[in-house]
Amino acid sequence: MQFNYDGLSSRVIFGAGRRAEVGEELDRLGIKRALVLSTADQSETCATFAAMIGNRVGALYPGAVMHTPVQVTESAMHQMEQMNCDGILSVGGGSTIGLGKAIAYRTDLPQVVVPTTYAGSEMTPILGQTEGGVKTTLRSPMVLPETVIYDPELTLTLPDFISGPSGMNAIAHSVEALYAQDANPIISMMAEESIRALGAALPKVMEDGSNIDARAEALYGAWLAGACLGSVGMAIHHKICHTLGGSFDLPHADVHCLMIAYSAAYNREAAPDAMARIARALGIGDAPAGLYDLLQSVGRVKSLAELGMTEAGLDKAADLAVQNPYYNPRPVTRDGVREMLQAAFEGTRP
Ligand code: NAD
């Protein structure tokens, strides 16, 4: 047994109602004038948090948008500088957290993050930004939030068409962590537990979004999945999803949700230990079949055809996906990828 393990250090506070501790957490980091971030959709939540932290508010910026455009970061920083802010409080999903990370990258200010989706960005030292329509990704310890408060009550308002795909997107991080080139036993334990928790919780969340126990279990799984994404490299699934998302403008979480069963099937023979752990976590004999069953109950879209892809598009996607491939346990071939895309196009059980 040989492995490297780099522990990522952040403080995690988990539990229903624990957002009430946000003021104490700002104090712990010495933040006296926080820049409070959210999307425009969540501006009410932003205002509620501002009221909760009282005189520790420096400024509010409810202007986060998808893909962390650099001009939005600059506009938020202008607000931050005018009001002399000395720390960041991000409340929301990956878009809001991305804005907080972009500011931390430029200023090294401490961050308290309160996630409200299952995207997992709060646990990674990864920052994706866009400038002039081009997305670039970097890794830096400066962007990893110091403190994360997970309060499942904040996810009760997350609609099911976001909850299901966003939760499956988290599962996809954990699946790939199990067969990563730099996999290690700690992260693999977290990955398996994350698939178990999300696999059990997501169908219950879809049935009843107000089920706080299921919401808590899903958020717990999402936390672990974020830690997996932040710690080890991803493989063919992430490459194909970036290709489909980037070159065909398909919705990020829906694509992950659909493709993970097919990506797992691609690696079925090449990664038997990972498959056994995924299957055990889902309580089924075959990992790709278990992921496919989960897709049927939580997915919004069940085939690439439903997403509007064409056969010609599949050819182009296969060509693109084999360029600069990521590490993958089974060699990435154009024919293999094309076959995988065909199965996903038809939505057949892998
Ligand atoms: P998001 O942050 O864009 O949120 C989606 C929508 O849901 C927004 O309109 C938001 O206002 C709303 N919303 C969020 N929480 C809600 C709640 N509890 N109730 C009601 N509405 C709510 O989406 P996301 O999926 O969380 O994040 C996606 C982004 O995060 C992508 O840009 C992705 O690239 C990035 N991401 C980055 C990393 C990383 O490590 N850097 C990891 C995962 C995702």
Side-chain angles (χ1 to χ4, degrees):
M1 193 192 265
Q2 291 198 25
F3 58 87
N4 293 358
Y5 171 68
D6 294 307
L8 292 173
S9 149
S10 54
R11 176 173 159 82
V12 172
I13 291 162
F14 193 103
R18 298 204 60 189
R19 63 188 181 283
E21 295 168 41
V22 66
E24 277 165 56
E25 293 306 321
L26 293 172
D27 292 344
R28 186 185 280 268
L29 291 170
I31 300 175
K32 294 192 167 53
R33 296 177 59 78
L35 175 68
V36 189
L37 303 174
S38 77
T39 58
D41 284 354
Q42 289 184 292
S43 56
E44 263 179 49
T45 314
C46 185
T48 309
F49 270 81
M52 231 157 38
I53 63 173
N55 61 7
R56 303 176 192 91
V57 176
L60 304 191
Y61 191 87
V65 297
M66 286 270 276
H67 308 309
T68 326
V70 168
Q71 32 330 352
V72 174
T73 304
E74 284 167 357
S75 141
M77 283 182 62
H78 180 68
Q79 179 90 338
M80 180 201 86
E81 280 155 13
Q82 279 200 323
M83 302 308 289
N84 244 333
C85 298
D86 59 359
I88 301 159
L89 170 60
S90 306
V91 185
S95 297
T96 301
I97 297 167
L99 174 59
K101 287 165 120 180
I103 297 170
Y105 180 64
R106 289 159 174 80
T107 59
D108 207 15
L109 287 182
Q111 304 171 73
V112 173
V113 173
V114 187
T116 63
T117 72
Y118 305 134
S121 174
E122 65 283 355
M123 294 311 295
T124 82
I126 304 166
L127 168 64
Q129 312 183 85
T130 48
E131 188 163 23
V134 180
K135 183 162 184 172
T136 53
T137 302
L138 60 86
R139 259 180 187 269
S140 162
M142 282 204 306
V143 308
L144 185 72
E146 280 72 8
T147 302
V148 180
I149 304 178
Y150 287 105
D151 186 335
E153 285 175 4
L154 292 170
T155 62
L156 293 173
T157 49
L158 200 59
D160 59 0
F161 66 88
I162 299 184
S163 298
S166 174
M168 278 293 268
N169 187 1
I171 286 184
H173 304 328
S174 300
V175 165
E176 295 236 296
L178 285 166
Y179 52 65
Q181 189 170 27
D182 50 355
N184 66 68
I186 303 293
I187 292 300
S188 294
M189 265 195 301
M190 293 170 90
E192 184 176 340
E193 172 65 357
S194 138
I195 298 167
R196 186 208 58 74
L198 283 159
L202 290 179
K204 293 184 205 156
V205 165
M206 298 306 283
E207 221 168 83
D208 175 9
S210 67
N211 178 340
I212 187 69
D213 293 336
R215 286 290 192 182
E217 194 169 26
L219 194 58
Y220 162 68
W223 162 45
L224 297 175
C228 293
L229 175 68
S231 298
V232 297
M234 297 286 117
I236 186 156
H237 172 76
H238 282 71
K239 175 74 184 182
I240 197 76
C241 290
H242 289 166
T243 304
L244 292 170
S247 303
F248 297 88
D249 205 23
L250 301 184
H252 173 90
D254 290 317
V255 170
H256 273 277
C257 181
L258 165 67
M259 287 306 300
I260 190 57
Y262 299 99
S263 309
Y266 189 89
N267 286 323
R268 192 190 259 125
E269 272 80 43
D273 293 347
M275 294 301 139
R277 294 186 79 150
I278 298 161
R280 184 167 64 191
L282 295 174
I284 192 169
D286 178 62
L291 293 166
Y292 178 81
D293 290 344
L294 206 50
L295 163 69
Q296 300 312 308
S297 67
V298 312
R300 177 163 65 151
V301 178
K302 316 266 166 65
S303 71
L304 283 178
E306 260 184 74
L307 277 174
M309 281 291 282
T310 58
E311 296 262 355
L314 300 183
D315 286 330
K316 187 175 163 210
D319 290 340
L320 290 172
V322 295
Q323 288 169 12
N324 313 313
Y326 301 180
Y327 162 82
N328 190 63
R330 173 180 157 194
V332 175
T333 63
R334 202 244 175 228
D335 286 352
V337 171
R338 181 63 179 81
E339 213 173 281
M340 171 176 76
L341 288 170
Q342 186 66 35
F345 179 74
E346 292 167 12
T348 50
R349 190 177 171 83

